[in-house]
């Protein structure tokens, strides 16, 4: 489980040194972040901004007719 793995790594480097837990937005990752961050409330639960931006751009491209030609190249 992701939260258990994060806790294991956190104990090695020191949980007090962690300020944010970032993963992609997969369901298992979101659930793991939530469990971990509830247990350690000073740690911020965060999505990967690059992954979020990638998903956003994919959605925008799907709506733009001219971008379909660019996407195919």
């Amino acid at each position: 489980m992701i939260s258990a793995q994060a806790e294991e790594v956190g104990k090695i480097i020191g949980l007090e040194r962690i300020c944010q837990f970032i993963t992609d937005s997969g369901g298992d990752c979101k659930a793991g972040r939530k469990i971990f961050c509830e247990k350690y409330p000073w740690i911020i639960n965060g999505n990967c901004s690059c992954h979020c931006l990638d998903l956003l751009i994919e959605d925008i491209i799907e709506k733009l007719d001219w971008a379909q030609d660019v996407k195919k190249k």
Side-chain angles (χ1 to χ4, degrees):
M1 180 175 227
I2 291 172
S3 61
Q5 291 174 338
E7 188 166 5
E8 187 176 315
V9 172
K11 287 180 179 178
I12 292 169
I13 64 172
L15 287 163
E16 69 282 353
R17 300 174 82 183
I18 299 173
C19 62
Q20 188 171 18
F21 185 20
I22 301 172
T23 67
D24 67 17
S25 58
D28 54 338
C29 293
K30 285 174 77 171
R33 280 195 329 264
K34 183 179 179 189
I35 292 167
F36 185 77
C37 293
E38 284 176 353
K39 190 169 183 179
Y40 304 101
W42 69 88
I43 298 175
I44 299 167
N45 181 350
N47 289 326
C48 175
S49 57
C50 292
H51 182 71
C52 291
L53 184 59
D54 177 58
L55 294 174
L56 179 64
I57 290 170
E58 286 177 17
D59 287 347
I60 291 170
I61 288 173
E62 291 299 318
K63 304 288 185 214
L64 300 174
D65 293 332
W66 63 268
Q68 297 306 306
D69 294 333
V70 175
K71 182 179 169 184
K72 292 176 186 174
K73 291 181 182 180

